[in-house]
Amino acid sequence: MKSNLKVKSVKKADKVTRKCIGCGEIRPKSELLRIVRNNEGEVSIDLTGRANGRGAYICRSHDCLKKAISSRALNRSFKCEIDNKLTEGLLNLDF
């Protein structure tokens, strides 16, 4: 008995995209900075893009970061309050 199912191949050229929570622009995942909240509630920067937890993506620009902080987009993404110490640390990053 032969199967008539066709297998679709995934092209490696397809880029994974994510939406910036600061400006709302959709960009390739590699161009964005990922901030993650783990199961213990700790919020940190995920440089590998593979850390476990809930992630939010921001463009690598201070303007988008300032928009995300002022509009409380990080708080909404993680469903918790983000402390000032973390936001100050984010603003001091060199992109």
Side-chain angles (χ1 to χ4, degrees):
M1 174 186 238
K2 289 187 178 182
S3 176
N4 291 335
L5 297 175
K6 292 183 180 180
V7 178
K8 273 188 160 180
S9 64
V10 177
K11 295 179 183 179
K12 290 185 181 182
D14 291 340
K15 298 273 185 171
V16 177
T17 58
R18 297 288 184 259
K19 184 177 180 179
C20 171
I21 62 170
C23 65
E25 210 173 298
I26 296 174
R27 295 181 172 216
K29 185 177 172 182
S30 60
E31 293 179 9
L32 300 171
L33 178 69
R34 184 173 189 244
I35 302 171
V36 65
R37 184 185 69 132
N38 63 15
N39 292 338
E40 289 81 33
E42 299 168 346
V43 178
S44 61
I45 298 169
D46 178 18
L47 298 175
T48 64
R50 296 181 179 205
N52 288 333
R54 183 172 188 84
Y57 293 87
I58 299 178
C59 294
R60 294 179 184 263
S61 74
H62 286 284
D63 292 336
C64 283
L65 189 55
K66 287 176 184 175
K67 282 182 193 177
I69 292 169
S70 66
S71 68
R72 302 179 58 82
L74 282 173
N75 295 345
R76 281 193 307 274
S77 293
F78 297 132
K79 299 175 184 169
C80 71
E81 283 295 316
I82 305 299
D83 61 350
N84 290 337
K85 188 176 180 180
L86 177 69
T87 56
E88 288 173 8
L90 289 171
L91 289 171
N92 290 331
L93 285 177
D94 287 330
F95 297 110

